Amino acid sequence: MKLLIVAVGQRVPDWAQTAWDDYAKRFPPELKVELKAVKTEPRGSKTLATLYAAERQRIEAAIPRGTRIVVLDERGTNLTTQALAARLTSWQLGGDDVALVIGGPDGLEPEFRQAAHERIRLSDMTLPHAMARVLLIEQLYRAWSINANHPYHRE
């Protein structure tokens, strides 16, 4: 199974890239994690609908057909780490690859959010984009470690 993280926005601070790289290399071969950064639409004087449409097109182009789409959304389901571990098991048993989508500065197009298979949230707080990437991959690694009885997670 592959976990594909699709994130709107290309550049993140060095600390975030270092953290991402550290967690990404910890995953076992049977659970690949890949990051696809998609370009943020230049803001300028464009309408929000135009921005959403351009970013949605890039997001959809980055996701292979047949992939389960899970969007990160502040209105999504609030999961504990244990619940995320159970969700990861469910995804693995389902057999499809999973794309977790992080929106850009204005979030994700409402229709795209609604069309996703699932909507989850990382926090009740608004997070900087780079922090969301790092928090997501850390929690996915922690979820894997729970399922694998690896000592990383402690209750």
Side-chain angles (χ1 to χ4, degrees), residues 47-115:
T47 67
L48 190 55
T50 302
L51 298 173
Y52 279 151
E55 290 175 356
R56 179 180 183 165
Q57 186 175 28
R58 291 183 189 113
I59 291 166
E60 288 176 338
I63 301 172
R65 187 172 300 253
T67 300
R68 181 173 191 77
I69 298 174
V70 178
V71 298
L72 274 62
D73 178 24
E74 64 188 9
R75 293 164 296 281
T77 302
N78 193 30
L79 297 175
T80 64
T81 301
Q82 293 287 348
L84 180 61
R87 193 70 51 96
L88 179 60
T89 296
S90 174
W91 295 337
Q92 288 176 301
L93 292 174
D96 293 329
D97 291 338
V98 175
L100 293 114
V101 183
I102 303 171
D106 296 302
L108 295 164
E109 180 186 55
E111 293 81 11
F112 179 78
R113 278 197 322 260
Q114 289 304 314

Side-chain angles (χ1 to χ4, degrees), residues 118-137:
E118 295 179 58
R119 287 164 294 288
I120 62 174
R121 75 174 188 228
L122 290 177
S123 173
D124 289 337
M125 295 180 257
T126 302
L127 300 171
H129 188 85
M131 185 70 73
R133 283 190 196 188
V134 172
L135 182 58
L136 177 60
I137 195 167

